[in-house]
Amino acid sequence: VPERYAEWRPVVREAMLYFGSHLSTPRLAPKLVEQIELPANTTPEKRLLRLIAKVPGLQKLGQVIARNRHLHPRLRRALTQLENGICDVTVEEIRAIIVQNLGPMIEQYKVDIKDKIFAEASVSAVVRFTWYNPERRQREHGVFKVMKPYISAYFAEDMDLLARLAAHLGSKHQEYGFAEHVLSETFDDVRRLLQHEVEFVREQANLQKASCAYRSLAYIHIPRVILPLCTDTITAMTEEHGQKITKAVTSMPSWRRRRTAEQLIDSVIAVPLLTPGTNGMFHADPHAGNFLYNKRTRILTLLDWALTGHVSEEHRRRFALLFLMVLLRDSEGVCSAIHSLSMGGKKRDADKVRVIRKQVTDFFSEQPLVWIPSAVDIVDLLERIAWQGVRLPNQLIMLRKVLFTLDGILHDIAGPSELIELVLLQRLLQRWLKGLTSVGWPLSARDWIGVYRSVMLYPSRLA
């Protein structure tokens, strides 16, 4: 755990000890033997990868932090192997699952399964295939995303362990300096999110929704689901071409790397958050292995839609207002915006109001006058408030996860920059210019009056 997150070291240590010591004996015993038999000079990061092998719950969390720029470089390199470099099943095992699940459909659609695994992640393995499409009367290429044979039992145990860990840490909240229920609720939120990983039918529906949402954007592609060959443990979809985005940019000049980073931000953040009249569905598992970039066509393909979030139009309005009030250093406006996010129309709680006011005051006192806030800064503020017991919408927690993971990927692609805010602003201005009826969206006329009033008072606050 790097120095930047030093306060979390006791929690991380407690969580890892609890998880490891409560893992079932048939899973834990071979891991202990393996650790003992590893050479004495085996590095900590290699030991960690072996320890969490076939522990999909921890592997998913490893994917989230893999690109964090504050981690030790060796640990970062090791964790990035979790993005698409896992190797713990054989093609024979995967083929057997496909044959068992599809049965006569294999012959009906003349399915020819390739003889090696194309990619492998924490929950599933991917193999290529060809099939006869009766609608187009031709053979086509596709991929099967197949749930690994051990996942059903192991993932269920991991989720149960996370639930018990949530209760365990929740009982020690005073020792760690957090408000009651904060740690337990956070771990419960993580567990509920991760459970979607094994809901293949849900992912198939998400892929179809995402295809509709991105249909008008030529530079973004979503795999098409091949419904006749899908089951509750297999997702069949079109084969896409490209490289993992962090690998694809290695030989690019700096200007093109920046353009690619902007394209990624637009795809993952700007499109879902700044498209009026939609439910704001966004990709909630943005690790580098889920982004394929084709250098020839410059098309970015978004893979793996098992984890998604939705930000309502009202939450987008409140978040936009919060960003503007932070930019104007309007502490009263910031407190009001956070109140509306946390209370959801309910009566205000005096204790929570005090918590919000103190955290906002401390937040501004830490920033220099020339500071320009970023989306990550604002989500960090919301997170600080949440740790003090103020409950915020679950979707903001998921959005924080997305920004946390995306920040590391963007740093690897284009280096340190403030790209996210610039891309969001460009997207918003483009929408305003295209349709006069959407000018000012997502803020209401009343919101803009409040912003105008805050702008007028900005010089006095600065003074």
Side-chain angles (χ1 to χ4, degrees), residues 233-421:
T233 57
I234 299 173
T235 295
M237 53 194 147
T238 52
E239 181 181 350
E240 306 301 330
H241 300 282
Q243 293 177 294
K244 184 164 72 169
I245 191 167
T246 48
K247 183 178 180 181
V249 301
T250 51
S251 60
M252 291 182 185
S254 58
W255 65 268
R256 192 172 170 191
R257 291 170 73 107
R258 184 180 176 88
R259 289 280 180 85
T260 306
E262 291 174 353
Q263 188 175 343
L264 180 59
I265 296 167
D266 199 38
S267 307
V268 179
I269 302 294
V271 170
L273 296 191
L274 300 180
T275 304
T278 67
N279 63 1
M281 184 176 83
F282 59 89
H283 194 297
D285 193 15
H287 66 75
N290 284 338
F291 303 126
L292 286 184
Y293 188 78
N294 189 316
K295 290 190 286 187
R296 183 179 61 81
T297 63
R298 302 191 180 184
I299 289 176
L300 176 64
T301 301
L302 309 187
L303 305 173
D304 195 346
W305 285 81
L307 305 184
T308 60
H310 297 81
V311 181
S312 68
E313 197 156 312
E314 179 61 19
H315 280 150
R316 281 179 272 178
R317 181 185 74 83
R318 291 174 177 176
F319 196 76
L321 187 60
L322 172 62
F323 182 82
L324 288 173
M325 289 302 170
V326 171
L327 186 63
L328 293 168
R329 303 185 80 100
D330 187 339
S331 59
E332 288 298 323
V334 171
C335 288
S336 178
I338 295 175
H339 288 154
S340 64
L341 277 170
S342 63
M343 308 304 177
K346 298 178 182 178
K347 187 177 179 180
R348 292 187 177 185
D349 183 305
D351 290 336
K352 291 182 178 179
V353 168
R354 283 193 292 272
V355 168
I356 293 172
R357 188 171 298 279
K358 181 182 185 307
Q359 291 297 325
V360 169
T361 301
D362 292 346
F363 176 75
F364 280 122
S365 67
E366 295 166 2
Q367 312 300 337
L369 291 179
V370 295
W371 164 75
I372 298 176
S374 68
V376 173
D377 291 329
I378 295 172
V379 178
D380 281 342
L381 170 61
L382 293 174
E383 191 173 81
R384 287 164 56 171
I385 291 170
W387 289 127
Q388 298 304 312
V390 178
R391 185 67 174 169
L392 294 168
N394 289 342
Q395 302 307 323
L396 285 181
I397 295 174
M398 293 176 68
L399 188 59
R400 168 58 176 144
K401 170 187 177 293
V402 170
L403 290 171
F404 181 87
T405 308
L406 199 61
D407 179 67
I409 298 174
L410 294 172
H411 187 271
D412 286 349
I413 294 174
S417 63
E418 301 298 330
L419 285 174
I420 294 180
E421 294 70 40

